[in-house]
Amino acid sequence: MSEKLLVVTTEHIPGHNYEVLGEVFGVTTQSRDAISDFGAGLKSFFGGEIKGYTKMLQTSREVALERLRVEAESMDADAVVMMRFDSGSIGEDMQSVVAYGTAVKFVD
């Protein structure tokens, strides 16, 4: 059900007034296996896209967004406004992604 919760990157949702419920977050940290890391090391030497890492980051964003929606639903929110992503490295082989925004309840 959480995929139906409206998540927008804008501050205002046209046609809706709302009250702010609070901040919501969805976080995930993922890493690749040693064989993939070795292949990525070779790829970085020769250049080009490292597709395994691109896929890992896409998956991380999807997981973080789903967790944000679940947290917003637990607050009985109707939507999340001002959603953003942030990411960072942990060590040499882990990537953390957070989706964050403001949970809101429609009042109209």
Side-chain angles (χ1 to χ4, degrees), residues 40 42-51 54:
L42 290 176
K43 188 70 166 183
S44 68
F45 181 75
F46 293 106
E49 180 180 7
I50 303 171
K51 293 181 182 179
T54 300

Side-chain angles (χ1 to χ4, degrees), residues 1-7 65-67 69-70 73:
M1 170 145 165
S2 59
E3 62 270 353
K4 296 189 187 279
L5 186 105
L6 180 62
V7 176
L65 187 55
E66 176 60 21
R67 290 179 179 172
R69 284 185 164 117
V70 168
E73 282 184 341

Side-chain angles (χ1 to χ4, degrees), residues 1 4 14 27 42 44 47 50 52 58 60 63-64 71-72 75 82 89 91-93 97 100 106:
M1 170 145 165
K4 296 189 187 279
V27 181
L42 290 176
S44 68
I50 303 171
Q58 288 172 329
S60 295
V63 169
E71 185 173 334
M75 298 170 69
M82 297 297 292
S89 297
E92 293 183 17
D93 62 347
V97 175
Y100 61 95
F106 295 144

Side-chain angles (χ1 to χ4, degrees), residues 1-104:
M1 170 145 165
S2 59
E3 62 270 353
K4 296 189 187 279
L5 186 105
L6 180 62
V7 176
V8 297
T9 58
T10 59
E11 182 177 356
H12 299 287
I13 301 171
H16 290 285
N17 294 311
Y18 54 79
E19 64 182 25
V20 172
L21 300 177
E23 300 171 337
V24 286
F25 299 88
V27 181
T28 185
T29 301
Q30 299 191 14
S31 69
R32 302 280 300 161
D33 60 62
I35 294 171
S36 296
D37 283 339
F38 177 75
L42 290 176
K43 188 70 166 183
S44 68
F45 181 75
F46 293 106
E49 180 180 7
I50 303 171
K51 293 181 182 179
Y53 280 101
T54 300
K55 183 178 180 189
M56 180 185 73
L57 286 171
Q58 288 172 329
T59 301
S60 295
R61 286 172 57 113
E62 291 168 7
V63 169
L65 187 55
E66 176 60 21
R67 290 179 179 172
L68 172 128
R69 284 185 164 117
V70 168
E71 185 173 334
E73 282 184 341
S74 75
M75 298 170 69
D76 200 30
D78 293 315
V80 174
V81 296
M82 297 297 292
M83 191 283 296
R84 300 287 186 265
F85 286 108
D86 195 5
S87 64
S89 297
I90 301 173
E92 293 183 17
D93 62 347
M94 291 181 277
Q95 186 72 28
S96 182
V97 175
V98 61
Y100 61 95
T102 303
V104 299

